[in-house]
């Protein structure tokens, strides 16, 4: 667990643009604990401002394109602190249109923006999104 957290901290601290990070696990509780740690640690280290933290979870078992568009609109602004962190929980629940909309932003996001995706079922994520992510399991 500490190795995973060390790698996540290095990913957040890196000065340049980085690939999105995909965390995969056996259960939602352990993934949720990791996300909570990353978010609280980032805030404590002043890497991100509360306004620069966005968390997205499925509603009725899906993440819609409207939700992704809201997040992407918010992510287009420069961060108030060093980083902007966008957490997409259960990324396997992205609808196909939402996944396609997210894909463009993963490729062209601001260098200070970090996308963190979680899943228990990585095979359910669009292959084009998977190919652009650093994977930690």
């Amino acid at each position: 667990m500490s190795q995973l957290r060390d790698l996540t901290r290095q990913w957040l601290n890196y000065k340049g643009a980085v690939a999105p990070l995909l965390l995969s696990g056996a259960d939602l509780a352990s993934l949720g604990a990791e996300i909570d740690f990353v978010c609280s640690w980032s805030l404590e280290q002043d890497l991100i401002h509360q306004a620069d933290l966005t968390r997205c979870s499925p509603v009725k078992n899906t993440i819609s394109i409207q939700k992704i568009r809201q997040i992407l609109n918010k992510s287009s602004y420069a961060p108030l602190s060093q980083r902007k962190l966008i957490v997409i929980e259960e990324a396997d629940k992205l609808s196909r249109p939402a996944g396609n909309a997210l894909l463009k932003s993963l490729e062209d996001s601001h260098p200070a923006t970090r996308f963190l995706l979680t899943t228990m079922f990585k095979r359910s994520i669009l292959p084009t999104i998977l190919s652009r992510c650093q994977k930690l399991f």
Side-chain angles (χ1 to χ4, degrees):
M1 182 100 69
S2 65
Q3 183 182 18
L4 175 66
R5 290 181 177 181
D6 289 343
L7 291 169
T8 305
R9 286 191 285 247
Q10 289 172 10
W11 173 78
L12 279 164
N13 278 319
Y14 187 76
K15 299 290 183 206
V18 296
L21 187 63
L22 175 68
L23 293 179
S24 180
D27 63 82
L28 290 176
S30 63
L31 286 173
E34 288 304 312
I35 297 303
D36 292 342
F37 168 79
V38 168
C39 294
S40 62
W41 180 84
S42 300
L43 290 166
E44 289 169 8
Q45 299 299 312
D46 291 327
L47 275 177
I48 60 172
H49 184 277
Q50 185 67 43
D52 292 328
L53 173 62
T54 304
R55 289 180 79 162
C56 172
S57 301
V59 175
K60 296 184 181 177
N61 215 27
T62 192
I63 299 173
S64 69
I65 190 169
Q66 291 84 5
K67 183 66 173 173
I68 292 299
R69 284 181 177 152
Q70 289 172 350
I71 290 167
L72 298 180
N73 183 43
K74 186 177 177 182
S75 73
S76 65
Y77 301 104
L80 297 173
S81 55
Q82 296 178 48
R83 302 278 179 269
K84 188 172 286 227
L85 179 59
I86 299 168
V87 179
I88 300 176
E89 300 176 59
E90 298 183 70
D92 51 284
K93 305 283 174 65
L94 285 162
S95 68
R96 183 167 289 278
N100 289 329
L102 177 63
L103 183 61
K104 180 71 173 148
S105 291
L106 295 180
E107 296 171 335
D108 298 332
S109 63
H110 187 282
T113 300
R114 301 292 189 258
F115 286 91
L116 176 60
L117 290 73
T118 68
T119 186
M120 291 184 352
F121 308 102
K122 69 178 184 178
R123 286 182 255 190
S124 298
I125 296 177
L126 288 174
T128 50
I129 291 177
L130 275 178
S131 69
R132 285 157 179 81
C133 291
Q134 297 178 55
K135 297 159 194 76
L136 292 179
F137 305 101

